[in-house]
Amino acid sequence: MRLFILGFGYSARHFVRRFGGTFAQIACTVRDPARRDDLAGIEVHPFAGSDPDRATVERIREADILLVSIPPGPVGDPAIAAFADALATSRRKIVYLSTIGVYGDHAGAWVDESTPPQAALERTRMRLAAEQAWMDATGGDAAILRLAGIYGPGRNALATLRAGTARRIIKPGQVFNRIHVDDIASAIMAAVHHQNGGTWNVCDDEPAPPQDVIAFAAQLIGIAPPPEESFATAEMSAMARSFYASSARVSNAKLKRELGVTLAYPTYRHGLDALWRAGEGR
């Protein structure tokens, strides 16, 4: 199988580290190949959102699997706009990485893939539109993976505590959903092998208040957690504050039932404990 990755971000990098040996050829796009030092063994193509070169288009035509992690923009998904002709010439498996943010606020209630999205933020409305565009482009055969908040090596509460940037923001009733990057990689691979398209939530088993995650990480390290701060009065950027506008408990039952994914890290405690034992936060 030949894999082409549009947007070589955190999740895509870990997918290649875990499953790269499965593919006969791997190519990807990045904005500036000269600034990347983690692309050994991968054919790299520059792509900034428009005017791709001929080699990039040809590799997409040849690919058996297309993994898309480029975020959409105000005028739609840049990959669909740039590669429409190549996408139309042959059938391939397309896995699109989206976000559970499309569900919007449900006041902490449980939601699943049958819950109608109610994206209130511009960025989540763009994601929802991009999901539909990929479904339209593939006749419904795209695999849409709606990712929860991602953590893993170098990107976790242990690291933020050691860096002195962790905060315990308290908003009563607020919960967030999370997923370890290794479990994202497993979900991508399961979607690659699944015969049909569809939409699946990729999250762990336990939505939890954000302050609980920081407190558990501090316990692992053996330090006092940062003081509690009220959300109402905390100084936060508009972007950071916007994440607290939605609270929902997202179900992963369909991911397990249809794609057969068994989570390596079913809760944040499993994930953080494994990261701590691997040397994170020390």
Side-chain angles (χ1 to χ4, degrees):
M1 290 189 295
R2 292 164 295 188
L3 171 68
F4 196 101
I5 304 171
L6 283 158
F8 200 64
Y10 185 71
S11 296
R13 294 199 307 273
H14 281 267
F15 175 69
V16 169
R17 286 170 187 166
R18 283 198 62 195
F19 296 108
T22 305
F23 301 95
Q25 181 187 74
I26 302 175
C28 73
T29 64
V30 295
R31 285 186 171 273
D32 184 359
R35 299 181 63 183
R36 302 299 295 262
D37 58 1
D38 54 355
L39 298 168
I42 300 173
E43 183 179 306
V44 181
H45 298 262
F47 177 61
S50 61
D51 300 324
D53 60 29
R54 181 173 297 180
T56 307
V57 174
E58 287 305 310
R59 280 291 182 258
I60 288 179
R61 290 186 194 276
E62 297 167 356
D64 302 296
I65 311 295
L66 191 63
L67 175 61
V68 185
S69 63
I70 295 177
V75 296
D77 190 289
I80 291 179
F83 302 109
D85 290 344
L87 293 170
T89 54
S90 62
R91 297 186 66 82
R92 62 186 61 76
K93 187 71 177 188
I94 292 178
V95 181
Y96 179 72
L97 303 185
S98 185
T99 170
I100 61 168
V102 298
Y103 291 112
D105 183 39
H106 290 267
W110 282 96
V111 301
D112 62 19
E113 292 84 351
S114 68
T115 304
Q118 49 185 40
L121 301 172
E122 180 63 20
R123 65 175 181 270
T124 53
R125 287 195 292 268
M126 289 190 295
R127 279 290 185 188
L128 196 58
E131 287 185 7
Q132 188 59 54
W134 280 108
M135 280 297 191
D136 292 344
T138 60
D141 284 341
I144 307 296
L145 301 183
R146 291 175 174 167
L147 308 184
I150 304 168
Y151 73 100
R155 183 173 170 174
N156 56 73
L158 298 165
T160 57
L161 279 166
R162 279 303 186 199
T165 58
R167 301 174 70 183
R168 278 200 298 162
I169 306 294
I170 309 299
K171 183 182 180 183
Q174 181 72 45
V175 294
F176 288 135
N177 302 267
R178 298 161 191 83
I179 188 67
H180 192 288
V181 71
D182 283 353
D183 286 324
I184 294 175
S186 296
I188 293 171
M189 201 62 189
V192 166
H193 289 298
H194 190 67
Q195 184 174 1
N196 301 316
T199 300
W200 294 273
N201 298 327
V202 183
C203 52
D204 70 18
D205 295 344
E206 189 178 324
Q211 65 269 21
D212 291 3
V213 179
I214 298 297
F216 181 76
Q219 179 183 336
L220 286 174
I221 296 175
I223 61 175
E228 294 184 351
E229 303 176 63
S230 170
F231 173 77
T233 57
E235 292 187 7
M236 304 170 67
S237 68
M239 175 64 78
R241 188 167 288 274
S242 71
F243 286 107
Y244 285 78
S246 298
S247 181
R249 289 174 166 85
V250 180
S251 170
N252 60 19
K254 187 181 177 188
L255 177 77
K256 297 175 179 179
R257 183 178 67 251
E258 292 188 357
L259 296 189
V261 173
T262 299
L263 298 178
Y265 306 103
T267 74
Y268 68 85
R269 291 182 298 279
H270 292 87
L272 287 176
D273 184 66
L275 289 164
W276 171 250
R277 286 186 280 107
E280 292 278 327
R282 299 181 188 273

